[in-house]
Amino acid sequence: MTRYGCQRAHQERRGAAFLALVRAWAAGAVVLVFTEYAQATLVYDYVATGPRLETFGGRLLLIHLPNALCIASAAWAAARVHHEPYRASTPRHLTAAFAVPVVAQLLNMAVQWEELAAEGLLLSNAVLVVGCVAGYAGDRLQDGD
């Protein structure tokens, strides 16, 4: 194979690897949007009333736990869509699984920065880590690792 042919094959592999990441991110974004919408319409509109959110346990149960489930679902979906041979690379697979929840968290913090309290900031970042780890663990368990 000529030098030009090798370079072209390498570029095609890089392009395919990037497309696999984009596909995983799209799946994670769709799942995150759908689950967050369901959370907002079901939990926030019907269950999360003012008196229930006054206590730490109420906020943990009605805000942060459902958020962890949404993040875990998005990370799991993105990881499941990220197929071989690209998922064999741990850094690429972690990027595929965690990019959407991390970017969503950064956007959420940027939008609500003025209103964030220390408790909300710490708990939402803890929820991000727990959700990402749970989603990734679910993916690895399905692979039998």
Side-chain angles (χ1 to χ4, degrees):
M1 186 177 273
T2 66
R3 181 176 177 173
Y4 177 73
C6 288
Q7 287 176 344
R8 184 175 174 117
H10 179 69
Q11 288 175 345
E12 288 175 2
R13 283 193 303 264
R14 283 184 40 209
F18 182 71
L19 185 61
L21 280 175
V22 170
R23 192 176 314 128
W25 294 337
V30 167
V31 169
L32 186 64
V33 166
F34 178 75
T35 57
E36 289 286 346
Y37 177 77
Q39 175 189 4
T41 56
L42 298 175
V43 175
Y44 294 158
D45 288 349
Y46 298 111
V47 182
T49 60
R52 292 181 178 159
L53 294 177
E54 289 178 4
T55 65
F56 174 77
R59 288 187 301 275
L60 186 66
L61 182 64
L62 297 174
I63 294 173
H64 299 295
L65 188 61
N67 277 339
L69 293 173
C70 294
I71 291 168
S73 299
W76 173 81
R80 293 310 303 163
V81 170
H82 194 235
H83 291 293
E84 291 292 344
Y86 312 108
R87 68 186 292 134
S89 169
T90 301
R92 282 186 184 164
H93 194 55
L94 290 175
T95 301
F98 297 161
V100 169
V102 169
V103 168
Q105 176 73 0
L106 291 173
L107 287 172
N108 188 32
M109 286 175 36
V111 169
Q112 297 181 359
W113 186 253
E114 301 280 329
E115 303 167 10
L116 281 178
E119 175 190 308
L121 181 65
L122 292 173
L123 277 176
S124 64
N125 285 315
V127 162
L128 174 69
V129 171
V130 167
C132 284
V133 168
Y136 185 74
D139 172 59
R140 298 320 271 175
L141 285 173
Q142 280 190 302
D143 283 345
D145 290 347

